[in-house]
């Protein structure tokens, strides 16, 4: 039988090789000499210093990004591509969709709005509140998973990016991120819908574009002070819903395969 | 699974880096000593590996443990090879760049096992791109290459993998 070295096969093989390679790392440790310990402590100290410098750069870059986004109205960006609400602003260019999330000044009383409707066969298998302010819930079923994430807006200003293959590269040390030109991304489509009383965006990530291979081609990345702290990889063919709940002061992100089910699930929160 | 998440603790990279140092430094030294007879050379390889890790830590901090450990093995191997190449040059001895120091144990998966036998540079590129799931652009940054150079390296790695599989009697 002829084997085709496509991305899927390479990914499976590389995953297996990664597991086998990790096994090579011995369990036992050798003691470090005093000279190596000294060098390593120097490295740790230097890393701290470099990180402080980097944070300063990133803060400056974040301020610049905020200015650029705030001036979105005067940039050559489609008016339809921008939406301003109380606590968020969105900008779309040909390579990236960016949300700027304004911090809430007051914390709300604890609100545990969870979907009252979940598709048949789905089971809540994971619920964790991260230190980074993101609560993650995973609903698992044989036909695929649904991921619900909630990011509190209290006290911090964050940005969120919808990334695709065209969103080239990570942020550099100065926190510069792809800005793009006027237009809309080709690798996914965005539709405005309503979830409860709130405006929401529904993203459909295309299955067949020149950019995609077979998985992990899209991502939703959360930044604080120009540094990304949370990333969700999204496979092609998936759908994502994003909305900001002004009362709960939270950003909601719902990802899965079936757009209709996602919308129904999101609406059942209200 | 149609999706997965990767999270970084808000306490930040500094703490993660210190944790990586505490958890892996002694183990990386044990690995380096398997191929470098000189304790000083092995320590040098580990120090260089951590320097390399520090430079890329913002990209690597989110890796799951298995992938991070595999990456550390690859980095230690590369640093050991650098030292062996230097020693060979100093003593006017030939040095084979295809030389693999740490071949992963067989898994029974034909393609994975063939991948594990490739030269370390190819293995590293394939591990980052396909094992850790970085994009080509991100792989390029981790390898300190231009995107074009990384694409060529990945193409060559795939070509070498194809050749190896054919040598082993597979039809590719």
């Amino acid at each position: 039988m002829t084997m085709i070295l496509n991305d899927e096969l390479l990914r499976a093989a590389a995953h297996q090789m990664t597991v086998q390679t990790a096994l090579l790392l011995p369990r036992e440790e050798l003691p470090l000499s005093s000279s190596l310990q000294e060098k390593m402590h120097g490295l740790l100290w230097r890393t701290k210093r470099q990180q402080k410098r980097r944070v300063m750069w990133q803060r400056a870059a974040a301020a610049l990004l905020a200015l650029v986004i705030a001036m979105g109205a005067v940039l050559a960006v489609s008016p339809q591509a921008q939406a301003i609400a109380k606590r968020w602003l969105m900008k779309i260019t040909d390579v990236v969709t960016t949300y700027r999330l304004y911090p809430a000044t007051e914390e709300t009383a604890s609100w545990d709005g969870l979907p009252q409707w979940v598709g048949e066969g789905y089971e809540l298998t994971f619920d964790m509140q991260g230190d980074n302010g993101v609560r993650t819930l995973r609903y698992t079923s044989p036909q695929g998973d649904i991921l619900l994430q909630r990011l509190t807006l209290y006290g911090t200003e964050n940005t969120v990016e919808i990334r695709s293959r065209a969103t080239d590269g990570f942020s550099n040390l100065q926190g510069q991120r792809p800005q793009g030109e006027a237009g809309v991304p080709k690798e996914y489509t965005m539709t405005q819908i309503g979830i409860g009383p709130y405006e929401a965006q529904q993203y459909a990530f295309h299955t067949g574009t020149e950019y995609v291979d077979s998985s992990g081609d899209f991502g939703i990345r959360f930044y604080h002070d120009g540094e990304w702290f949370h990333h969700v990889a999204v496979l092609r063919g998936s759908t994502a819903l994003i909305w900001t709940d002004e009362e709960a002061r939270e950003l909601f992100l719902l990802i899965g395969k079936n757009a209709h089910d996602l919308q129904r699930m999101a609406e059942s929160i209200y | 699974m149609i999706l997965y998440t990767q999270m970084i603790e808000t306490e930040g990279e500094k703490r993660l880096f210190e944790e990586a140092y505490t958890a892996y430094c002694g183990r990386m030294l044990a690995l380096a000593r398997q191929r470098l007879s000189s304790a000083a050379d092995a320590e040098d390889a580990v120090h260089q590996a951590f320097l390399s890790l520090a430079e890329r830590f913002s990209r690597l901090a989110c890796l799951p443990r298995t992938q991070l450990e595999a990456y550390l093995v690859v980095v230690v191997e590369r640093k050991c090879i650098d030292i062996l190449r230097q020693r060979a040059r100093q003593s006017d001895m030939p040095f084979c760049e295809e030389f693999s120091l740490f071949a992963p144990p067989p898994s029974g998966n034909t393609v994975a096992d063939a991948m594990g036998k490739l030269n370390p540079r190819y293995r590293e590129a394939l591990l980052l791109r396909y094992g850790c799931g970085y994009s080509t652009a991100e792989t390029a940054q981790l390898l300190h290459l231009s995107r074009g150079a990384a694409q060529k390296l990945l193409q060559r790695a795939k070509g070498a993998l194809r050749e190896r599989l054919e040598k082993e009697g597979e039809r590719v």
Side-chain angles (χ1 to χ4, degrees):
Chain A
M1 197 174 77
T2 303
M3 190 184 288
I4 300 168
L5 282 184
N6 57 21
D7 283 353
E8 197 175 340
L9 184 70
L10 287 168
R11 215 182 319 275
H15 174 73
Q16 186 63 54
M17 180 191 65
T18 303
V19 171
Q20 300 301 109
T21 303
L23 293 175
L24 292 168
L25 196 63
R27 291 208 173 275
E28 72 278 9
E29 299 182 9
L30 284 186
L32 313 184
S33 71
S34 55
S35 74
L36 179 60
Q37 280 184 29
E38 203 173 309
K39 275 197 268 186
M40 294 303 294
H41 286 143
L43 173 62
L44 290 173
W45 178 77
R46 197 167 66 185
T47 306
K48 286 178 194 172
R49 221 172 35 166
Q50 282 170 344
Q51 282 168 342
K52 274 186 189 168
R53 267 206 306 267
R54 190 167 64 192
V55 166
M56 284 170 61
W57 275 108
Q58 284 170 337
R59 283 188 178 148
L64 181 63
L65 174 68
L67 182 65
V68 168
I69 292 175
M71 292 178 69
V74 295
L75 297 176
V77 176
S78 158
Q80 290 177 335
Q82 296 186 45
I84 299 175
K86 283 180 187 171
R87 256 178 277 281
W88 61 275
L89 182 145
M90 185 171 70
K91 179 186 168 190
I92 302 176
T93 70
D94 60 341
V95 297
V96 68
T97 303
T98 308
Y99 290 78
R100 181 184 175 190
L101 306 168
Y102 298 100
T105 51
E106 291 172 16
E107 195 167 10
T108 53
S110 175
W111 179 74
D112 196 26
L114 292 177
Q116 299 304 301
W117 181 90
V118 183
E120 199 177 325
Y122 283 95
E123 187 187 348
L124 180 62
T125 54
F126 183 84
D127 183 354
M128 191 187 81
Q129 176 67 54
D131 293 343
N132 54 14
V134 180
R135 180 176 173 187
T136 301
L137 299 99
R138 184 184 295 277
Y139 298 85
T140 308
S141 84
Q143 64 265 32
D145 293 2
I146 291 177
L147 188 76
L148 171 62
Q149 299 206 308
R150 298 167 53 161
L151 168 70
T152 178
L153 303 181
Y154 172 66
T156 55
E157 183 170 306
N158 297 301
T159 51
V160 175
E161 276 179 2
I162 316 293
R163 296 168 65 92
S164 66
R165 289 261 159 179
T167 316
D168 191 13
F170 276 85
S171 322
N172 63 18
L173 292 184
Q174 284 74 44
Q176 292 163 341
R177 301 205 298 271
Q179 295 294 308
E181 305 292 333
V184 293
K186 293 185 180 66
E187 304 81 45
Y188 55 88
T189 44
M190 189 271 281
T191 312
Q192 292 282 3
I193 61 169
I195 298 294
Y198 303 114
E199 188 182 337
Q201 292 76 47
Q202 178 176 282
Y203 294 91
F205 297 96
H206 297 174
T207 54
T209 78
E210 59 180 308
Y211 294 103
V212 299
D213 41 33
S214 62
S215 69
D217 301 300
F218 302 98
I220 299 174
R221 188 165 296 175
F222 296 70
Y223 295 82
H224 177 59
D225 275 351
E227 187 170 8
W228 67 278
F229 65 90
H230 182 65
H231 178 87
V232 186
V234 183
L235 298 191
R236 61 183 184 170
S238 300
T239 297
L241 287 183
I242 295 182
W243 74 97
T244 301
D245 186 314
E246 298 294 339
E247 278 190 44
R249 289 161 190 170
E250 286 183 356
L251 174 92
F252 280 73
L253 167 62
L254 194 56
I255 308 175
K257 280 279 185 192
N258 186 314
H260 179 261
D261 280 0
L262 287 186
Q263 192 171 345
R264 189 171 167 192
M265 196 171 160
E267 282 168 352
S268 75
I269 294 175
Y270 297 99
Chain B
M1 301 279 262
I2 59 167
L3 31 88
Y4 65 94
T5 59
Q6 291 175 321
M7 279 175 268
I8 295 178
E9 297 294 327
T10 49
E11 286 294 312
E13 296 164 11
K14 175 181 68 68
R15 187 168 56 79
L16 288 169
F17 188 77
E18 285 171 350
E19 283 175 10
Y21 164 71
T22 307
Y24 295 117
C25 197
R27 296 172 67 188
M28 288 161 72
L29 184 61
L31 181 71
R33 279 304 304 273
Q34 289 177 10
R35 293 294 178 270
L36 297 175
S37 54
S38 153
D41 280 351
E43 291 203 338
D44 198 24
V46 171
H47 183 235
Q48 292 298 325
F50 261 96
L51 276 174
S52 181
L53 186 65
E55 283 171 13
R56 299 160 173 81
F57 202 66
S58 60
R59 316 278 187 271
L60 299 166
C62 57
L63 285 181
R65 198 180 73 176
T66 303
Q67 292 176 354
L68 180 63
E69 289 180 356
Y71 180 75
L72 294 177
V73 170
V74 168
V75 173
V76 170
E77 180 178 29
R78 180 154 33 85
K79 298 305 174 189
C80 288
I81 288 173
D82 289 345
I83 288 170
L84 289 170
R85 185 191 301 113
Q86 200 181 348
R87 297 281 173 268
R89 199 177 300 138
Q90 283 166 353
S91 50
D92 281 335
M93 296 287 286
F95 183 79
C96 178
E97 292 289 339
E98 305 293 308
F99 185 51
S100 183
L101 293 182
F102 302 112
S107 64
N109 177 321
T110 311
V111 185
D113 291 348
M115 208 180 261
K117 291 174 193 161
L118 296 178
N119 86 41
R121 191 67 171 160
Y122 290 162
R123 249 191 299 141
E124 183 180 15
L126 292 172
L127 186 141
L128 290 171
R129 176 70 184 89
Y130 296 103
C132 299
Y134 289 110
S135 68
T136 304
E138 291 160 353
T139 302
Q141 289 185 347
L142 286 163
L143 294 172
H144 280 193
L145 295 173
S146 68
R147 187 174 177 163
Q151 269 170 340
K152 278 184 191 161
L153 179 66
L154 284 163
Q155 277 169 4
R156 283 200 295 269
K158 285 188 254 185
L161 177 63
R162 191 172 292 112
E163 271 180 35
R164 180 165 283 278
L165 284 166
E166 282 169 352
K167 271 185 196 167
E168 291 176 3
E170 297 291 336
R171 291 177 62 192
V172 186

